[in-house]
Amino acid sequence: MDSSLLFLLFTILTTTIPTVEPKSNSYPISFPRSYHPSLIQTKEPTPNLPFKTHFFPQILDHFTFLPQSYSIFYQKYLINSDYWDNGPIHRAPIFVYTGNEGDIEWFAANTGFMLEIAPKFHALLVFIEHRFYGESKPFGKDSYNSADTLGYLNSQQALADYAVLIRSLKQNLSAEASPVVVFGGSYGGMLAAWFRLKYPHIAIGALASSAPILQFEDIIPWTSFYDAVSKDYKDASLNCFDVIKGSWDELETLSARNQALVALSRTFRTCKNLQSVYLATNWLWRAFVYTAMVNYPMQANFIMPLPAYPVEQMCKIIDGFPPEASKLTKVFSAASLYYNFSGTEKCFNIENATDAHGLSGWEWQACTEMVMPMSRSNESMFPPSTFDYKAFGEQCMMKYGIQPRAHWIITEFGGTRIEQVLKRFGSNIIFSNGMKDPWSRGSVLRNISSTIVALVTEKGAHHVDLRYSTKEDPDWLIEQRRKEVEIIQRWIDEYHAGFEENN
Amino acid sequence: MDSSLLFLLFTILTTTIPTVEPKSNSYPISFPRSYHPSLIQTKEPTPNLPFKTHFFPQILDHFTFLPQSYSIFYQKYLINSDYWDNGPIHRAPIFVYTGNEGDIEWFAANTGFMLEIAPKFHALLVFIEHRFYGESKPFGKDSYNSADTLGYLNSQQALADYAVLIRSLKQNLSAEASPVVVFGGSYGGMLAAWFRLKYPHIAIGALASSAPILQFEDIIPWTSFYDAVSKDYKDASLNCFDVIKGSWDELETLSARNQALVALSRTFRTCKNLQSVYLATNWLWRAFVYTAMVNYPMQANFIMPLPAYPVEQMCKIIDGFPPEASKLTKVFSAASLYYNFSGTEKCFNIENATDAHGLSGWEWQACTEMVMPMSRSNESMFPPSTFDYKAFGEQCMMKYGIQPRAHWIITEFGGTRIEQVLKRFGSNIIFSNGMKDPWSRGSVLRNISSTIVALVTEKGAHHVDLRYSTKEDPDWLIEQRRKEVEIIQRWIDEYHAGFEENN
């Protein structure tokens, strides 16, 4: 199943989405918070993954020395040593994926890039699962019960886990002299970049793909994300943009009518009659946002099976209608591409497309440290909205009994004036981004120094560079990956040169 | 009182000293662990300190989100704004002392360098107290009760405290654009260096004076510290070295005799009869080690009132005896310089010179993260000994019910092959050291890059550069401080240039 990474897309997106339908929003329709991984995750084992599974006894709390901090949990990690031939002797590199919010197998299966470049580097591959996800739950099935257990889930603990595990692994392999390069996409990319910044003695470099490390506080405009989504559709077709933008009003008008839900259920070909207009909104919204994120240049099955350049395809569908057709009919057809590209769906389970407000790890992280304010301007194709720290805090308080530490990430990891800060500090980070990906706006898009570089593609989407290569890969993607390999090779060469110099 | 900083010297030194008298040591005499600050601290207010006292509501645990992590304690900090004239408008710098293990007033009183250079830079001065010391105790008088409270005392939490406090302070002063430079000596210097490495977005540079960040695991030889002490005495006089080295055997031989303690009490002019030979050993040992640390080129009252170059003075005393005089008589006279330079002591309270095994913050830190292995070679002037992780762990277990995390500091902060790691990573750190200081061997003594530099003086002792200047300052000390000012000025100029470039 290729839909695995969807999880991280969805979950990272939930940050700014209110848990409940808004009470006093400027517009009655809001983006629901309820994209839970459990709806998307398929628990089938990913077939033929060339990894061996291991478990590492990890300490519960690296940053306090309370008696309970010493508890051990078993952290999962995957290893491929097919190309690691006498690696320790040759100081061959170790490539580590800094796992994000999901089962580590999904990330392994969707980061074919690492497997493909491993032979060239004779690299050992390690994929480490993030604490509280997959099988790495410190309190087993009770891990998500409350703040008393979830309290140990955060990015700093995760980074420390990686540091401890990598150091121990190198020791066990007698590979202390092997350089480590970290890789990650999305939140995993944020972790990779932060790991290089905080643990430069453990990783010589980081490839941080689609890593929105600047999506905090007021570093970038709060409207960036939705503006970028809107731009994707506007670039494809101005009419398409206008139709989508206008559809929310049409939906609202319709919802005021008699028998609105019956009519809507018919228009949207729902399997069961709709109980709320909100569900239809959510269903449309999700299709447009996620299609923008995975607007890949090749047919792919990442979130859903989709054709190449799916945004353009959606807009072609919208533009193909006669002007007089209702906007709702048009957007429904476009969204159907997202939900039914295979053509096998006879009706849509819109009711089930959102779930109850169960707990999930990312929602916890979003309610504690990963507070990414987002709003929607009048110019976006979505209904305008603002972000309110206070309201957000109240929701988190209601849900978990704790307040978000909305300013913590910047305090801990920086981000403000990042170019000035890192111009003379740090090195060896690649920030790769595709401008079609709305998350790109929260990442680093310009070279900061000769060794902290941005690889930006105009047509790329959410960490497309980390995926397996395909025959349909366009030249710009091949070139982006080639540059990444070249830069990583340089890090390793410099490391080896320095090693010999000093020995 | 100038004896305040003694605390940090003593306490940092206790790391490798067993809590109890050794059971199966290779030599019956061991360096006691019991130099408690309470014996040295004078609680008199330091007079005429030009600072205003503030308290900051600080969060108890930055790295978990448990309900109890959100508890607030009040962290003390001192501010001097005498030279901060329209500082925010001019983006004038903020100089922050990253407090170490003691009352913050002591550090303020003993870091005259910052006060002296503040006018030149129009700098705001801030001295922040380390959590669990002075008046910054999260659980008040219960703070040291057990691991349940002490568990929150460690260097990472302290660094995060500084980050949060500085960020908030800058915001309150509308001084977000003012560059911050951090300063520290000894453990405070380690914190300053680590702060620059971990929080480069908050501090543009660090002056880390006598900061033994490499005194962990096997980065430097375990014998370094005592070898350096021995070298100080050997450099002063070979005879002096030989006498001290031989005195331990003489002491041991004496202790086997009848009426040994009575004889010893007489030789050592104790106020009360000695109850243990161990106390006399400890008393001598302390005098030689601490005098080496504070072997300043001017008369000073740092740990004790001492003349300029006190090691040389001690050796002169030893060398002044006729060869046939007993070694014990000689070393007692030398040690008397340390304990009685003022000549006012009629007898010595050797019994009280060590205290009961009460809790202290540094002992906790030494038993958790600050595990600095030290041993003594046959070539040192002290009885040889080894360091045993297991035995050390057992002592900590007995004392606090927790195991040291002996490998954590290197995992979190690095240190191994530091030159290679930081050659292309990081910037703007001065490691200043004096080679007379035995701690210097655990610090960075060679330039790592053009911006991570070592300022080493052959004749300097423990962070002498941070002290108030005196008329007796030798040229090399004046020059060391001049270079520090020059480098700090460059950091600030570069910061301002970068600021204007980007705005």
Side-chain angles (χ1 to χ4, degrees), chain B residues 180-193:
Chain B
V180 171
V181 177
V182 285
F183 296 71
S186 199
Y187 171 49
M190 297 161 72
L191 292 172

Side-chain angles (χ1 to χ4, degrees), chain A residues 63-65 70 151 154 157 167 198-199 201 217 403 405 407 411-412 420 423-424 427 495 501, chain B residues 63-65 70 151 154 157 167 198-199 201 403 405 407 411-412 420 423-424 427 495 501:
Chain A
F63 302 105
T64 65
F65 293 83
Y70 284 78
N154 62 62
Q157 298 279 359
R167 207 180 158 210
K198 295 283 190 185
Y199 297 90
H201 46 287
E217 296 196 43
Q403 279 288 343
R405 295 184 197 156
H407 308 296
T411 303
E412 178 65 9
Q420 200 188 347
K423 191 177 174 180
R424 294 189 188 82
S427 59
Y495 171 84
E501 222 168 76
Chain B
F63 302 105
T64 65
F65 293 83
Y70 284 77
N154 61 62
Q157 297 280 358
R167 208 182 157 208
K198 295 284 192 186
Y199 296 91
H201 47 286
Q403 279 289 343
R405 294 185 197 155
H407 308 297
T411 303
E412 178 66 9
Q420 198 188 348
K423 191 176 174 182
R424 295 188 187 84
S427 60
Y495 172 83
E501 220 167 77

Side-chain angles (χ1 to χ4, degrees), chain A residues 26-65:
Chain A
S26 55
Y27 195 84
I29 298 166
S30 185
F31 192 21
R33 187 202 172 81
S34 42
Y35 296 110
H36 280 304
S38 49
L39 290 176
I40 301 119
Q41 288 173 18
T42 52
K43 283 285 180 190
E44 313 157 22
T46 314
N48 302 324
L49 269 186
F51 294 98
K52 283 197 179 137
T53 302
H54 298 262
F55 289 88
F56 180 79
Q58 188 63 266
I59 198 163
L60 179 61
D61 186 352
H62 300 277
F63 302 105
T64 65
F65 293 83

Side-chain angles (χ1 to χ4, degrees), chain A residues 105-127:
Chain A
E105 284 84 0
W106 309 343
F107 300 116
N110 282 279
T111 312
F113 177 67
M114 285 172 67
L115 264 167
E116 289 182 346
I117 68 172
K120 178 183 161 61
F121 290 97
H122 302 286
L124 182 75
L125 298 181
V126 186
F127 282 75

Side-chain angles (χ1 to χ4, degrees), chain A residues 5 8-13 97-98 100-101 107 110-111 113 182-194 206-216 220 225 292-297 302 362 370 372 374 429-445 453-467 476-477 480-481 484:
Chain A
L5 258 196
L8 104 142
L9 313 178
F10 276 15
T11 49
I12 205 167
L13 198 58
Y97 188 94
T98 50
N100 25 329
E101 71 286 27
F107 300 116
N110 282 279
T111 312
F113 177 67
V182 286
F183 296 72
S186 200
Y187 170 50
M190 297 162 72
L191 293 172
W194 289 336
L207 170 55
S209 184
S210 301
I213 60 167
L214 308 180
Q215 197 90 35
F216 296 95
I220 59 161
F225 184 91
M293 283 168 65
V294 298
N295 193 23
Y296 293 140
F302 185 53
W362 186 260
M370 294 291 160
M372 299 173 166
M374 284 187 190
I429 305 176
I430 301 170
F431 290 100
S432 70
N433 279 286
M435 294 306 286
K436 290 295 176 193
D437 174 15
W439 288 113
S440 63
R441 305 309 195 275
S443 191
V444 174
L445 299 173
V453 298
L455 294 184
V456 179
T457 58
E458 277 312 308
K459 293 189 168 176
H462 206 52
H463 50 69
V464 62
D465 51 332
L466 292 189
R467 299 180 63 72
W476 54 259
L477 179 55
Q480 185 183 29
R481 290 189 182 129
E484 289 169 359

Side-chain angles (χ1 to χ4, degrees), chain A residues 358-380:
Chain A
L359 296 173
S360 90
W362 186 260
E363 286 186 60
W364 165 263
Q365 289 193 255
C367 255
T368 49
E369 52 171 8
M370 294 291 160
V371 182
M372 299 173 166
M374 284 187 190
S375 63
R376 298 183 296 272
S377 70
N378 288 324
E379 283 69 42
S380 95

Side-chain angles (χ1 to χ4, degrees), chain B residues 170-181:
Chain B
K170 287 180 77 169
Q171 217 156 23
N172 288 344
L173 296 171
S174 301
E176 280 97 339
S178 281
V180 171
V181 177

